[in-house]
Amino acid sequence: MTKMIYIHIDTTSNAVLSRGISPLEFYHGIVHQPNNLLLLDPSSDYGEYETHTGLKILRGNEGVKQYFDELARNRISEDIKWIDFNDSALLKELTPLEISELLYFGHMKTHLHSPFFYKLQNNFVYFDLKDELSRVYYRYLDEYYRILADKLTRTVLEKINDRRSFFRKATPVEKLDISLLREMKGLFQEGVVFCFQSAHTEGQDYKIPIYLIEDGSFRKNEELTKDDMLVGHLIYQQDRRQWQVTYEDKDLLFLTN
């Protein structure tokens, strides 16, 4: 089960560094499903060789879906790094400079200029990093909020029903509205963890502590330290079937606009 979910958002480039969300959860959560993928690993064994860029591509929605299914089954062991694109014809119009920029992007896993290419019309760039972290660029940040809302909702559903008896009906959980997550954008820019290890129930309220992580990236051992500050709680009210966020310090509210 999920112990923690880490989020750090760079709103300048719309890059989201996160831990606790799988590639398949990403794929099922997005609205703008990729038409095609350009794999940014020149040595990839997966996909079809594209002569103009020298990279491998996956064509069509079915090919993309199969790729994520293979990832879910752990049948792809190479680095996950790709950029989606809309039209194969425009792919062949990439200049040598644009191709070199894509190769740099794939090698360094960070953008040189804009992460969104006019000729590719891409909505995402996806990088799997070490320690189960990922860095994903979103043309529309609401895509990420939707993924995160789905993940938080599913995790709370699992936690609330984890110890129910076989004969007891499962307790439903209302889906978390992404507007509540949008309001937390300022905190996400600082870097936070939703700590399910320390989540608990008080009456009808299921409370998930939210910690500010100061070092800019989440540690592999999933342990909080004295430098990690409790800033609030994400609360699911089971009797009202409502979500809310409470803050430890009212001064933190300036981060929620």
Side-chain angles (χ1 to χ4, degrees):
M1 278 193 175
T2 301
K3 296 179 179 179
M4 297 185 183
I5 299 173
Y6 168 70
I7 304 127
H8 184 272
I9 296 180
D10 176 1
T11 53
T12 302
S13 62
N14 279 12
V16 180
L17 185 67
S18 65
R19 188 176 184 206
I21 295 175
S22 71
L24 194 63
E25 288 169 330
F26 161 85
Y27 178 70
H28 286 314
I30 57 178
V31 170
H32 296 88
Q33 294 284 335
N35 294 321
N36 311 281
L37 297 184
L38 178 65
L39 305 183
L40 295 175
D41 182 359
S43 60
S44 175
D45 293 325
Y46 206 82
E48 168 191 346
Y49 182 74
E50 201 284 315
T51 56
H52 183 68
T53 59
L55 296 168
K56 298 289 186 67
I57 62 172
L58 299 170
R59 296 179 188 269
N61 300 110
E62 190 57 39
V64 173
K65 180 181 181 299
Q66 183 179 352
Y67 176 72
F68 281 98
D69 287 343
E70 295 286 288
L71 286 173
R73 297 185 178 98
N74 294 315
R75 292 179 179 174
I76 298 177
S77 57
E78 62 194 35
D79 278 356
I80 306 169
K81 46 184 179 180
W82 54 260
I83 184 169
D84 64 302
F85 66 96
N86 192 46
D87 190 335
S88 298
L90 289 177
L91 189 68
K92 295 185 179 300
E93 293 184 11
L94 289 170
T95 66
L97 185 61
E98 289 168 329
I99 293 171
S100 66
E101 190 173 333
L102 283 168
L103 291 171
Y104 174 89
F105 208 174
H107 179 67
M108 300 302 295
K109 299 185 178 180
T110 187
H111 61 292
L112 187 60
H113 297 110
S114 171
F116 305 104
F117 292 74
Y118 175 75
K119 292 176 183 175
L120 299 181
Q121 292 292 297
N122 63 300
N123 291 309
F124 311 100
V125 191
Y126 193 108
F127 294 105
D128 207 16
L129 307 177
K130 64 179 182 179
D131 297 341
E132 299 178 8
L133 285 164
S134 65
R135 179 183 292 116
V136 185
Y137 294 82
Y138 294 84
R139 185 180 291 273
Y140 309 104
L141 269 179
D142 270 5
E143 295 267 27
Y144 178 70
Y145 294 140
R146 189 174 292 106
I147 294 166
L148 180 58
D150 287 346
K151 177 68 175 184
L152 290 168
T153 303
R154 283 196 307 273
T155 304
V156 170
L157 178 66
E158 291 171 2
K159 297 289 186 180
I160 286 177
N161 290 288
D162 183 37
R163 296 183 179 179
R164 72 181 178 90
S165 69
F166 178 79
F167 298 100
R168 183 183 166 194
K169 186 178 179 181
T171 302
V173 172
E174 195 73 17
K175 185 173 180 179
L176 175 58
D177 195 305
I178 66 170
S179 62
L180 194 65
L181 298 176
R182 285 197 205 104
E183 293 171 4
M184 299 177 66
K185 183 174 72 171
L187 281 174
F188 293 158
Q189 288 177 262
E190 300 296 322
V192 300
V193 158
F194 291 94
C195 184
F196 283 94
Q197 282 179 319
S198 303
H200 59 282
T201 300
E202 290 184 10
Q204 290 294 315
D205 292 350
Y206 185 76
K207 304 179 72 172
I208 307 147
I210 306 169
Y211 287 91
L212 195 67
I213 304 296
E214 293 189 348
D215 63 1
S217 62
F218 191 39
R219 295 163 290 278
K220 184 177 181 180
N221 59 11
E222 292 187 328
E223 291 180 359
L224 298 167
T225 72
K226 59 181 178 61
D227 295 324
D228 301 325
M229 180 174 67
L230 177 68
V231 293
H233 289 83
L234 176 65
I235 301 172
Y236 181 68
Q237 300 171 310
Q238 298 181 62
D239 52 345
R240 299 182 180 180
R241 297 185 67 177
Q242 292 179 350
W243 294 85
Q244 69 174 138
V245 178
T246 60
Y247 297 95
E248 295 294 298
D249 189 336
K250 290 184 178 179
D251 290 340
L252 290 167
L253 290 173
F254 81 94
L255 290 174
T256 63
N257 51 39

